[in-house]
Amino acid sequence: SVFAEKTAVVYGDRRYTYAEFGERVRRLAGGLAKLGLNPGDRVAFLCPNIPPMLEAHFGVPMAGGVLVAINTRLATDEIVYIANHSGARFFFVDAELAKLIEPALDRLPGVEKYVRIVDAGFATNVPGPEYEEVLASGDGGTKVARGELDLLSINYTSGTTGQPKGVMYSHRGGYLNALSQVVHAGLAADSNYLWTLPMFHCNGWCFTWGVTAVGATNVCLRKFDPEVAWQLVQGERVSHFCGAPTVLTMLAHHPAAASLELPRPVRVLTGGAPPSPTIISTMASLGVDVVHLYGLTETYGPNLLCEWQPAVDAMSSDDAARFKARQGVPMVVTSGARVVDDDMQDVPDDGETIGE
């Protein structure tokens, strides 16, 4: 109601105000109820960073459902495993990604209804209504009251050590970490957040909820492309985005970076692997402030970071980059982390002693 006329979502030529975004979310909740969703039902989404994926983070819980955002980079067998293991009754699938499940529909006995997300000219033979038809059927929805420790979403690890492992998020946990990201990213109502980080990854590190919590603008991006990303950073006056160090490397070494003129300061939050001091320094030379985070799927995404200190401003650029490459300071909602040796004894916090 406060930001009703403000732009909430940008996707290509599309612009949704917060009033329109809210209406679409409520209609999704109502449409899910019409499809037969009961409180606690799992709703799987296989979808890139486009508006329906963002809307799912609000419409599914509003209807009382549990969101299962599936990694779009997984193979068919892994996707089938996740859908079955999570107990998904509903499966929303982007038309371009539908080829990943079309050969395996007979291996998804628990899925009762499919919904096709038709975007960017792609088509699919997956049975079921189109996403916009589900929204059209919704009457605005009724918010289902949930307890703060009720299940909000289930996220899966990448499965590097076996089958993907499911992690259950509560409403309270998502709420706390979303607001923690607001604090440490410095998000505000005039922020424009570019969706380079997959929303399937810890619910976009809870930025799906955090960006919206402060009335900032979500700039959606179907597929990461460094040239398109730089165009959006400039054209949409992006102030924040997140991504792994590989994303920063692709951006820093793209030809577009050579002639880059940022319309405003940009803060990027990076994690998933340690960023090198070199890439931090390179991004700084482009006018991009890098914040190094650490987290786990089991901790709602980031919960440790490299906390800025005034003394860093007096450092040389090389020393500042080396400082920023470290992390380990607990966020405002996080208790401290221990780093221990093989005997579970704490190692010195000197940035050199190896521990776990």
Side-chain angles (χ1 to χ4, degrees), residues 16-35:
Y16 296 136
T17 65
Y18 264 101
E20 293 167 332
F21 181 35
E23 178 67 11
R24 287 177 63 82
V25 165
R26 287 187 287 273
R27 287 192 169 277
L28 173 58
L32 282 166
K34 289 280 183 64
L35 289 175

Side-chain angles (χ1 to χ4, degrees), residues 59 72 106 134 144 155 179 210 222 262 278 317:
T72 59
D106 59 345
V134 173
V144 177
N155 291 288
L179 295 187
R222 181 175 181 86
L262 296 178
T278 302
S317 58

